[in-house]
Amino acid sequence: MSDKPTVLFVCVHNAGRSQMAAGFLRELGGDRVEVLSAGSAPKDQINPVAVEAMAEEGIDIAGQQPKVLTVEAVKESDVVITMGCGDACPIFPGKRYEDWELEDPAGQGIDAVRRIRDDIRGRIENLLSELTPASAS
């Protein structure tokens, strides 16, 4: 892993879970990490309820666009986090893979999406502490 790890978040539609995770990691990780997200079957736009839930946290994901998962995105990533995309994600030796079992926010109301968002935030905080341990200065 390089000094600045690259994390790829993958879910089926790249419109909810993976976008919220990417938003949190960009916000909390700053310039210490590179953040990518993609989907095996991306939607046309980000889930508006996910956008609303993230806006409540002061994080704007409205400008993001769902992207299709590519082999190149996986190759350039140090950590690949899947969220319900099954076997659609290619596996390469030497990469860290995690599968986060998270409820899909598609079709859910704001209360359910807030619970998913808060679960994702906790996971991102843990991931960030593992990837960028506090350096002794």
Side-chain angles (χ1 to χ4, degrees):
M1 197 177 309
S2 64
D3 291 342
K4 189 174 185 174
T6 299
V7 179
L8 170 63
F9 296 101
V10 182
C11 68
V12 176
H13 299 303
N14 190 222
R17 296 168 287 192
S18 57
Q19 291 287 352
M20 289 191 289
F24 273 127
L25 190 55
R26 279 188 204 98
E27 181 72 20
L28 301 174
D31 61 0
R32 297 177 291 164
V33 291
E34 291 291 330
V35 182
L36 304 171
S37 71
S40 53
K43 288 282 191 189
D44 294 334
Q45 65 180 18
I46 305 297
N47 178 336
V49 184
V51 170
E52 179 184 349
M54 291 300 286
E56 292 175 353
E57 296 289 304
I59 300 172
D60 182 8
I61 63 170
Q64 298 298 316
Q65 185 65 35
K67 293 172 262 337
V68 70
L69 176 64
T70 64
V71 170
E72 292 74 30
V74 178
K75 281 184 178 177
E76 69 184 67
S77 300
D78 299 297
V79 180
V80 179
I81 310 258
T82 58
M83 305 170 178
C85 67
D87 296 330
C89 191
I91 305 292
F92 291 98
K95 302 207 175 290
R96 175 178 167 182
Y97 289 87
E98 290 185 26
D99 184 48
W100 291 357
E101 290 188 26
L102 294 162
E103 192 177 347
D104 189 346
Q108 303 268 11
I110 188 67
D111 290 335
V113 175
R114 284 181 184 129
R115 286 191 301 276
I116 297 165
R117 175 202 65 200
D118 294 346
D119 184 0
I120 290 170
R121 182 184 185 114
R123 292 171 190 248
I124 292 298
E125 289 169 347
N126 289 337
L127 178 67
L128 196 53
S129 69
E130 293 170 5
L131 294 179
T132 60
S135 56
S137 40

